[in-house]
Amino acid sequence: MTENQAKKELQDGKAVLGIEFGSTRIKAVVIGSDHTPLAQGSHDWENRYENGFWTYSLEDIWEGLQDCYRSMTEEVKEKYGAEVTGFDAIGFSAMMHGYMAFDRAGELLVPFRTWRNGTTGEAAEKLIRLFHYNIPERWSIAHLYQAMLNGEEHVSSIDYVTTLAGYIHWKLTGERVLGIGDASGMFPIDPVRKDYQEGMVRDFDKLAGEMGMPWKLRDIFPAVRSAGEPAGSLTEEGARLLDPSGKLRAGIPLCPPEGDAGTGMAATCSVAERTGNVSAGTSVFAMIVLEKELSQVYPEIDLVTTPSGKPVAMVHANNCTSDINAWAGLFREFAESIGVKPDMNQVFTTLYRKALEGDPDCGGLLSYGYLSGEFITDVAEGRPLFVRRPDSSFTLANFMRAHLFSALGALKIGMDILEKEQVQVDEVLGHGGFFKTKGVGQRFLAAAMGTDISVMETAGEGGAWGIALLASYLVNRQEGEALETYLSERVFAGMEKVSVSPDEKDAEGFRAFMEHYRKGLPLERTAAQYFS
């Protein structure tokens, strides 16, 4: 698309906007009719640990959204000399799971409890027994039931429970709906009916009734919508919430709000059976679109869906690159102390590439980059930990290799379960900050998973681009055109990607590292007891 064509689409309101709320950044991407990004905006933010919960305030949410949108409009004006007044469609996505509960007046009853909170263990265990289905601690239904078990006063006043993406969509459109992928992280989904599992809904309603709750689950949970289904349009009030300048027009259609898992699938064209993707950043998760159900319930495996409702096995680890980022900051501080002033991109690139020079097994070094607890490895509370034997090969290359391997450790444990279940996958796409330095994270993930890993140039656009694609699908799909067809034939056809096959020495080294990783887990599990 030429610059003049892009300017015309932006001026005529024919571009599409996608905004995603990540854990550390809110990002906006505007795409043209050819699905390529035209402009971006962003806002950095950070969760806070308050009164025992990881949270973001409502002020954080709206100030962040408005600043992100404003920065996008400024880039449009600077690059194209165009004023943003409308779009063909808009989509919002955010971190999945968590708990936002509102009363009948629309007031938040308790501070937003994010996916990061590991406070629902009792509820999750009881729901697993009730449903015979894996209910992870971060799921919304686990948060709701734990509040009920705790006897929290607010639960009897609940009128609506939703996720972060669902909340934003509700306030901008007035519609209490949620994309099926995000909904599958609130409550189990029936992939045939593409709605909440009816039998489980009845079981929970009976439980809630016995505890004196005045509501039914379907009354307080958002209605489920699949990709391509109408989900409302921007109201006048919503337009002012998004753009306080008053320039944005109302009436723009919005696609169903989705979670970051669903947008990751869209951004990597991983929505068809036997495809998969790994998103690696603050957290890391792998999603494999299934051909059939798993043979049993695995606590380590979430069962979610694609944005169109296909069943997906998801392995989610809370910790990935945060500890690596902290070490990179330390190395930059050292460089600055001796008079060198590198930028962070240079620091990361140097450290990541150095890891390629390390011994295949990391020279006997071991790390756990656990800033928070990790359910897969039964770690309740995280403490970043680095351990070595006196005779270990303590080099910078091995040090960085150990931390990069460790970032995939918990994920590997979950993926081994899918391998035993003989889950087939033809291709895995990688995206996220872990893959930013070309040829490093991709190579190590190939070694860990034992399969080819591909990375597309566009994967760096992330979930904001993914939700923009879902918004484009809403208004541009042909009658009966499936999401996987739209993406593969209209968005990704002919798109270049770089694939890396597993290197046998790397694979052997990763297996050796994982032996130490598993054996050393008691160190990590007890660290919090002695260092509080």
Side-chain angles (χ1 to χ4, degrees):
M1 180 178 294
T2 68
E3 186 173 320
N4 285 337
Q5 289 173 324
K7 180 177 180 178
K8 181 171 174 51
E9 289 196 2
L10 289 162
Q11 287 178 330
D12 294 347
K14 294 300 182 182
V16 171
L17 172 65
I19 297 180
E20 178 159 283
F21 285 69
S23 57
T24 59
R25 187 169 66 145
I26 305 168
K27 183 176 180 180
V29 171
V30 179
I31 64 173
S33 56
D34 62 354
H35 305 103
T36 59
L38 304 180
Q40 299 184 9
S42 67
H43 172 85
D44 292 334
W45 72 336
E46 188 58 73
N47 58 183
R48 293 190 293 271
Y49 190 68
E50 296 179 348
N51 300 316
F53 292 98
W54 291 102
T55 188
Y56 302 87
S57 70
L58 296 186
E59 291 75 17
D60 292 336
I61 293 169
W62 293 111
E63 289 175 5
L65 175 59
Q66 291 166 2
D67 185 56
C68 176
Y69 181 86
R70 179 192 54 75
S71 71
M72 176 274 298
T73 62
E74 289 177 352
E75 181 167 303
V76 169
K77 193 165 188 178
E78 181 180 334
K79 287 177 67 175
Y80 305 99
E83 200 82 71
V84 176
T85 59
F87 297 95
D88 211 16
I90 299 176
F92 289 93
S93 60
M95 300 166 283
M96 290 175 67
H97 318 299
Y99 182 71
M100 299 191 79
F102 300 87
D103 63 16
R104 191 164 295 180
E107 297 296 321
L108 189 66
L109 289 166
V110 291
F112 172 29
R113 298 171 182 177
T114 77
W115 62 271
R116 195 174 183 180
N117 290 288
T119 56
T120 64
E122 179 187 4
E125 289 180 12
K126 290 184 175 181
L127 289 173
I128 289 171
R129 290 198 296 269
L130 178 67
F131 294 154
H132 304 290
Y133 192 98
N134 185 35
I135 304 295
E137 292 183 13
R138 61 186 174 278
W139 279 28
S140 304
I141 190 63
H143 282 278
L144 172 60
Y145 187 39
Q146 190 66 57
M148 293 161 60
L149 291 172
N150 292 345
E152 296 185 39
E153 292 183 6
H154 79 271
V155 291
S156 61
S157 301
I158 289 175
D159 184 65
Y160 187 39
V161 173
T162 189
T163 65
L164 177 55
Y167 165 66
I168 295 162
H169 185 94
W170 171 44
K171 288 300 182 182
L172 297 184
T173 67
E175 299 289 335
R176 291 169 38 152
V177 300
L178 197 60
I180 192 168
D182 206 1
S184 70
M186 290 190 72
F187 195 88
I189 292 289
D190 181 340
V192 176
R193 295 178 57 252
K194 299 190 187 305
D195 199 356
Y196 302 123
Q197 290 272 6
E198 187 57 39
M200 298 180 194
V201 170
R202 288 196 298 267
D203 289 342
F204 190 81
D205 282 343
K206 180 180 178 183
L207 191 68
E210 291 171 351
M211 296 179 72
M213 297 299 112
W215 39 255
K216 300 283 190 182
L217 189 75
R218 287 189 180 277
D219 295 333
I220 64 170
F221 265 34
V224 179
R225 296 286 184 270
S226 295
E229 293 183 349
S233 58
L234 190 66
T235 63
E236 289 287 352
E237 181 183 4
R240 298 294 75 76
L241 268 175
L242 181 56
D243 179 21
S245 75
K247 296 173 183 175
L248 183 64
R249 63 176 168 82
I252 301 168
L254 269 68
C255 70
E258 266 297 349
D260 49 359
T263 58
M265 293 182 223
T268 54
C269 197
S270 305
V271 296
E273 294 174 353
R274 296 172 66 101
T275 63
N277 79 91
V278 172
S279 174
T282 302
S283 63
V284 58
F285 48 87
M287 292 165 289
I288 310 298
V289 185
L290 299 174
E291 297 178 281
K292 60 181 181 179
E293 293 184 358
L294 302 181
S295 65
Q296 65 185 76
V297 174
Y298 294 99
E300 301 89 348
I301 309 295
D302 295 12
L303 293 176
V304 293
T305 77
T306 68
S308 58
K310 290 182 180 293
V312 173
M314 176 175 172
V315 180
H316 184 286
N318 290 341
N319 302 280
C320 186
T321 61
S322 293
D323 194 38
I324 296 171
N325 297 345
W327 282 108
L330 185 72
F331 286 122
R332 183 181 68 171
E333 184 181 347
F334 168 75
E336 291 173 344
S337 297
I338 60 172
V340 179
K341 294 189 178 297
D343 64 36
M344 283 310 293
N345 285 334
Q346 182 182 3
V347 172
F348 278 113
T349 299
T350 301
L351 292 174
Y352 271 59
R353 288 179 177 165
K354 194 68 178 178
L356 297 175
E357 303 172 14
D359 297 326
D361 66 349
C362 308
L365 307 185
L366 181 61
S367 77
Y368 298 95
Y370 288 14
L371 268 71
S372 60
E374 195 63 78
F375 176 78
I376 291 177
T377 52
D378 193 28
V379 174
E381 191 175 346
R383 294 291 185 275
L385 187 66
F386 173 72
V387 184
R388 65 185 177 99
R389 298 188 304 270
D391 61 345
S392 296
S393 179
F394 189 31
T395 66
L396 179 60
N398 283 334
F399 181 83
M400 286 308 304
R401 193 178 182 97
H403 280 81
L404 290 170
F405 275 19
S406 177
L408 303 173
L411 178 77
K412 172 61 174 173
I413 291 172
M415 292 303 298
D416 285 346
I417 295 172
L418 296 183
E419 184 178 345
K420 291 177 182 177
E421 279 277 337
Q422 298 183 331
V423 171
Q424 300 296 313
V425 58
D426 296 327
E427 184 177 43
V428 174
L429 276 294
H431 61 112
F434 189 75
F435 304 102
K436 189 171 183 180
T437 301
K438 292 182 179 180
V440 182
Q442 185 179 4
R443 174 174 155 179
F444 291 164
L445 181 62
M449 295 186 66
T451 191
D452 290 0
I453 305 297
S454 300
V455 172
M456 298 179 180
E457 290 295 326
T458 54
E461 302 296 342
W465 186 59
I467 191 64
L469 295 179
L470 293 176
S472 179
Y473 175 67
L474 171 71
V475 294
N476 293 316
R477 75 193 189 287
Q478 301 295 323
E479 184 69 30
E481 186 177 22
L483 177 62
E484 52 265 40
T485 303
Y486 182 89
L487 292 176
S488 63
E489 296 184 3
R490 294 220 249 162
V491 179
F492 290 90
M495 191 172 290
E496 291 186 7
K497 58 187 175 185
V498 177
S499 297
V500 171
S501 299
D503 177 87
E504 186 53 38
K505 287 186 177 180
D506 285 341
E508 288 179 5
F510 197 91
R511 285 192 290 270
F513 174 84
M514 284 303 298
E515 289 183 16
H516 295 305
Y517 185 93
R518 288 186 172 94
K519 289 179 181 177
L521 281 169
L523 295 171
E524 177 62 31
R525 292 181 185 126
T526 57
Q529 297 178 25
Y530 301 102
F531 189 50
S532 58

